Amino acid sequence: MPYTVPKLTDYSAPALEKAANECISACTAESAQVRTDADLKSFRDRWMARKQGILTQINDRWLKDAPKEAKREAGIQVNALKARITELVEAAHASGAPALDNECLDISLPGVRRPIGAEHPVVKTSNEIVSVFGKLGYSVAEGPVVETDYYNFEALNFPPDHPARDTQDTLFIAGQQSTPARDRLLLRTHTSPVQIRTMEKMRPPVRIVIPGKVHRNDPPDASHSPMFHQIEGLAVDTSITFGDLKGTLDHAMKALFGSSVRTHFRPSFFPFTEPSAELYVTCFICGGKGKRGYDPCRPCKQSGWIEVLGCGMVDPNVFEFVKDNGYDPKKVSGFAFGMGVDRLALLKYGVDDIQLFFQGDVRFFEQFG
Ligand code: DAH
């Protein structure tokens, strides 16, 4: 017979206690019968449901109906009983395990397969370049993407209104008309400003590479993106020559593209280096022939050469900005270089649209896993 709440006639302490004990043993017995989730739910509802649950009935029959003089004792007993019943119901909940008696768990089923991510091809290329220079003793420096005009241009020997500024379509932060020109904020157009930031912090000698994001006001197309990546390099010491620059970069290109590539320097211009050069390597797609079988080689535009980076000897005017930190242009010399990582990743992986790198289509990235 399932337990029902008796009406009380005797409200004395011993009578109340007896009734409470019967109630607790009924609840204990029922809790032992709980097997499944469904059992658990009906057990809880039967005892705890606000409207017709046993605890509510007890409240009505034993407390509300109690004569005035018995109310206090009844209150104490009913409260203790409620606490005990609540405990029993919660314990049945917490053990939860009885469900296993009826259900089975097939431990031979395969688990949930989580796809393993792949390193982004641009990050991977960047890391490879950094590691080549790491083995030559270079350390890594980083700097802010939101930069001041001073670091991005002025301290790199781009005087105000210098036409060389026009070669980099700069994205300025709006609303800075009242800020002094050199403090105006912009999205850095190259990683070169970190050369100055590093020399402000570290005294010579330095050998660093600086990977990072840069922005230019270029509309997106297959070979341009308003956001792209560069790696900058800087070496400063007491007697660094253009020969060191050539030897270092020739070694790095062979380490990156294979020992059979040849390098070639063509004169160029950058405000922060003098002399300046562009570095070309023999096309690692066609091996420098300009043709693939009878087909023209597209990546090198049939020339057999691919432009990889800009470089040069640090202009003494640049050292002037950090002179007080040990960079007296009469005493130190150095070389610098900067390369576009995305373009190298495109060539390396034979991808023909830079936009694919930044659209986030998993099907594209899975190919690099
Ligand atoms: N900052 C240049 C650019 O973005 C690239 C560059 C050229 C960096 C020559 C250098 C350098 O450090 O020496 O076009």
Side-chain angles (χ1 to χ4, degrees):
M1 260 298 273
Y3 176 80
T4 53
V5 183
K7 264 196 181 340
L8 297 185
T9 44
D10 182 356
Y11 286 92
S12 68
L16 277 165
E17 213 174 296
K18 184 167 169 273
N21 283 339
E22 278 169 15
C23 178
I24 288 165
S25 23
C27 185
T28 310
E30 285 185 28
S31 81
Q33 299 301 313
V34 169
R35 290 278 178 277
T36 65
D37 282 353
D39 292 349
L40 185 62
K41 185 177 179 327
S42 52
F43 171 62
R44 192 188 51 223
D45 288 349
R46 173 165 150 76
W47 288 87
M48 310 280 287
R50 211 157 277 185
K51 267 204 169 153
Q52 272 309 307
I54 290 174
L55 283 185
T56 307
Q57 292 177 40
I58 287 176
N59 210 51
D60 292 344
R61 294 193 187 164
W62 299 1
L63 194 57
K64 283 194 192 148
D65 294 355
K68 236 193 198 154
E69 61 282 6
K71 276 247 183 333
R72 209 183 100 80
E73 184 59 32
I76 293 168
Q77 291 282 351
V78 167
N79 276 344
L81 177 63
K82 274 188 191 165
R84 183 72 193 117
I85 299 288
T86 309
E87 252 173 45
L88 285 168
V89 173
E90 272 168 13
H93 244 282
S95 68
L100 281 182
D101 284 357
N102 284 353
E103 293 167 15
C104 27
L105 176 68
D106 182 352
I107 57 165
S108 69
L109 282 173
V112 179
R113 203 177 278 272
R114 296 190 192 283
I116 300 172
E119 207 173 23
H120 191 287
V122 172
V123 175
K124 195 165 168 174
T125 305
S126 178
N127 288 345
E128 280 166 18
I129 299 168
V130 167
S131 108
V132 165
F133 286 95
K135 288 181 191 139
L136 294 176
Y138 284 64
S139 44
V140 178
E142 283 183 317
V145 175
V146 179
E147 189 51 283
T148 60
D149 187 282
Y150 175 76
Y151 287 108
N152 197 80
F153 290 125
E154 198 179 325
L156 287 167
N157 198 32
F158 289 82
D161 303 321
H162 192 281
R165 291 184 174 216
D166 298 344
T167 61
Q168 305 196 354
D169 292 303
T170 311
L171 293 161
F172 285 91
I173 308 290
Q176 301 186 92
Q177 291 78 357
S178 53
T179 311
R182 57 157 49 189
D183 297 333
R184 285 189 197 156
L185 296 174
L186 47 82
L187 297 183
R188 69 177 178 194
T189 55
H190 50 179
T191 41
S192 306
V194 193
Q195 289 187 25
I196 308 294
R197 288 185 173 276
T198 305
M199 289 191 283
E200 283 179 350
K201 276 191 250 143
M202 293 166 61
R203 297 178 70 84
V206 296
R207 279 168 183 72
I208 44 155
V209 278
I210 305 149
K213 274 189 176 39
V214 302
H215 293 77
R216 289 191 197 174
N217 188 15
D218 282 333
D221 64 25
S223 52
H224 293 87
S225 163
M227 184 282 300
F228 57 102
H229 302 80
Q230 288 188 336
I231 292 187
E232 190 81 14
L234 175 69
V236 183
D237 212 328
T238 44
S239 54
I240 291 203
T241 66
F242 201 89
D244 296 317
L245 163 64
K246 286 183 81 172
T248 304
L249 292 180
D250 184 74
H251 165 84
M253 294 305 120
K254 289 185 161 73
L256 281 171
F257 303 116
S259 54
S260 59
V261 298
R262 280 172 294 128
T263 53
H264 165 71
F265 292 80
R266 289 187 198 167
S268 183
F269 171 78
F270 299 101
F272 40 94
T273 42
E274 182 60 35
S276 304
E278 271 153 13
L279 171 62
Y280 286 73
V281 295
T282 42
C283 177
F284 40 84
I285 312 287
C286 66
K289 290 197 274 298
K291 276 193 260 167
R292 285 204 277 177
Y294 291 108
D295 295 330
C297 180
R298 273 208 297 158
C300 67
K301 303 194 184 87
Q302 301 180 59
S303 70
W305 292 96
I306 288 181
E307 187 199 329
V308 185
L309 52 78
C311 59
M313 300 305 289
V314 178
D315 193 303
N317 290 344
V318 171
F319 286 138
E320 287 291 337
F321 287 92
V322 284
K323 197 173 177 173
D324 294 345
N325 201 28
Y327 293 88
D328 181 343
K330 292 198 191 71
K331 297 195 180 130
V332 295
S333 60
F335 65 76
F337 57 88
M339 61 184 115
V341 181
D342 317 71
R343 217 171 59 85
L344 293 178
L346 287 175
L347 291 167
K348 196 169 149 204
Y349 293 108
V351 174
D352 56 12
D353 185 352
I354 193 174
Q355 301 305 321
L356 288 164
F357 283 151
F358 309 125
Q359 283 163 345
D361 187 330
V362 175
R363 292 166 303 176
F364 172 71
F365 292 116
E366 271 169 356
Q367 302 174 80
F368 301 91

